[in-house]
Amino acid sequence: MSGTAAATGTGSASCRFAHYFVVCGLDAETGLEPDDGAGENFEQSPIRRSFKSKVLVRYPENTDRNPFNKDAVNMLCMPRGLSFRTQADRLDPQFHSFTMSSDDGMRSYGFVHTFYEEVTSPQIITAMHTLYQMHHVERQSSSSASSPSSSSSSASSPSTSSMDSLVSSLDESDAESLAGVPVCLGCAGSFDAARDTLYVSKALCLLTPLPFLQASRQFLSQLHQAVTSHTAPPLPLESYIHNILYEVPLPPPGRSLRFHGVQGPIMCQRPGPGELPLGEYPLGEAFSLLGVDNMVQLLTCAFLETQVLLYSQ
């Protein structure tokens, strides 16, 4: 019986609305690791730098015909690594999407809801506090140095790099040794563990076989609202994740699908064989970001089959 159930489960994976649910964020056990791929700038305050994120949770472990690529999903969910903030910064959630293509041409579509949650790990808070104090001391020493000694300040950059290898294994004596260092209260990018609340980015992601952008965005947003709400949803959150992974089917071509999210119904529609491909990406956003003239030029190049390169930060 278990063999039949397993075969049924794997065989139906390609007919499901979503293949994976993923959570990426800070791994408190490994601590703060500089994200080399994000292009570190050691002149910046540590709270403005990027640190490595990890895939914290994924369901299921794997599906047939679509093996999970942990490194690729983590990079695309959090392309700039972990982002830290304090209560003085804006903490609005953000949403983005991506596409993954396998060697056989099969595509998967990722939809990511990124939000900020409070850091509760004392080791991470201590590490960030100590990193900021060391950065502040170095800035003060470099600013007080005379111009002929500028070469010596550039030679000290390796020590800055070694400073950023500081992780959650900092013991209390390291933090206490810098306790008397004055911090820049109110400065942009400042952090004082006794005064500030530290927040870090976390990403909720759905991987789907078709680009159901609006439905995925609504589901992830509702899930996040339920997590932060003081009122618990009717069912455990795991029930809603199980539902969208295993019980919500892929709508047939030309049909609509209505399923229950965490806080309300969600609708999606799949085009028929003779219709244009599914495209739920709002054109208004593209026009607001690129401007009318650039959009007209971009569409003209696309219609003329000219190669187009978009460069962005």
Side-chain angles (χ1 to χ4, degrees):
M1 181 180 295
S2 61
T4 304
T8 303
T10 56
S12 61
S14 58
C15 301
R16 297 171 186 161
F17 176 87
H19 287 168
Y20 292 99
F21 173 77
V22 186
V23 180
C24 297
L26 171 65
D27 186 350
E29 294 184 0
T30 58
L32 300 180
E33 300 180 67
D35 188 359
D36 299 328
E40 278 301 322
N41 181 4
F42 295 109
E43 296 298 323
Q44 287 185 326
S45 167
I47 206 168
R48 291 290 183 257
R49 299 176 195 168
S50 296
F51 296 87
K52 286 184 180 179
S53 62
K54 300 283 181 66
V55 173
L56 304 178
V57 173
R58 77 171 188 262
Y59 299 107
E61 284 294 314
N62 266 305
T63 63
D64 63 316
R65 298 179 57 198
N66 187 17
F68 188 81
N69 189 331
K70 181 175 66 173
D71 294 333
V73 171
N74 177 56
M75 180 187 68
L76 292 168
C77 282
M78 309 193 82
R80 302 184 70 177
L82 294 172
S83 176
F84 284 89
R85 297 285 188 271
T86 67
Q87 75 285 348
D89 300 306
R90 295 189 62 176
L91 303 174
D92 301 331
Q94 296 180 342
F95 178 84
H96 75 274
S97 60
F98 60 84
T99 304
M100 296 177 61
S101 299
S102 59
D103 295 336
D104 59 0
M106 181 180 177
R107 287 187 175 185
S108 295
Y109 300 89
F111 304 100
V112 186
H113 180 92
T114 305
F115 63 98
Y116 289 90
E117 69 173 3
E118 184 177 346
V119 178
T120 57
S121 168
Q123 291 84 1
I124 299 297
I125 296 174
T126 301
M128 181 59 72
H129 181 70
T130 307
L131 280 173
Y132 176 74
Q133 287 179 320
M134 295 172 70
H135 169 76
H136 185 62
V137 168
E138 188 159 328
R139 283 193 62 185
Q140 281 188 326
S141 62
S142 62
S143 62
S144 61
S146 58
S147 56
S149 62
S150 59
S151 59
S152 62
S153 65
S154 63
S156 66
S157 58
S159 66
T160 309
S161 178
S162 63
M163 178 192 75
D164 257 29
S165 65
L166 189 67
V167 294
S168 61
S169 59
L170 282 169
D171 45 40
E172 295 181 359
S173 61
D174 296 326
E176 289 174 357
S177 64
L178 292 170
V181 177
V183 295
C184 181
L185 298 178
C187 294
S190 65
F191 177 68
D192 181 4
R195 175 179 56 91
D196 296 317
T197 303
L198 187 64
Y199 295 86
V200 65
S201 55
K202 177 175 278 190
L204 307 177
C205 173
L206 272 182
L207 291 176
T208 65
L210 290 176
F212 294 118
L213 182 142
Q214 295 300 335
S216 299
R217 184 173 192 168
Q218 290 178 43
F219 176 81
L220 294 173
S221 177
Q222 290 184 16
L223 186 65
H224 175 221
Q225 290 174 14
V227 170
T228 57
S229 175
H230 297 293
T231 304
L235 299 173
L237 294 179
E238 293 81 1
S239 301
Y240 300 100
I241 296 171
H242 183 276
N243 179 63
I244 200 170
L245 289 176
Y246 296 103
E247 298 172 2
V248 177
L250 201 63
R255 302 294 295 274
S256 299
L257 173 69
R258 181 177 183 270
F259 64 94
H260 289 285
V262 184
Q263 296 178 330
I266 296 175
M267 293 281 297
C268 68
Q269 185 175 10
R270 183 177 178 182
E275 298 179 282
L276 290 173
L278 184 64
E280 296 185 321
Y281 299 88
L283 280 177
E285 262 185 44
F287 276 95
S288 64
L289 292 171
L290 299 177
V292 175
D293 293 339
N294 286 333
M295 276 298 296
V296 171
Q297 185 176 1
L298 181 64
L299 291 173
T300 303
C301 292
F303 289 144
L304 295 176
E305 299 184 3
T306 304
Q307 289 185 339
V308 177
L309 173 65
L310 295 179
Y311 175 78
S312 170
Q313 293 182 356

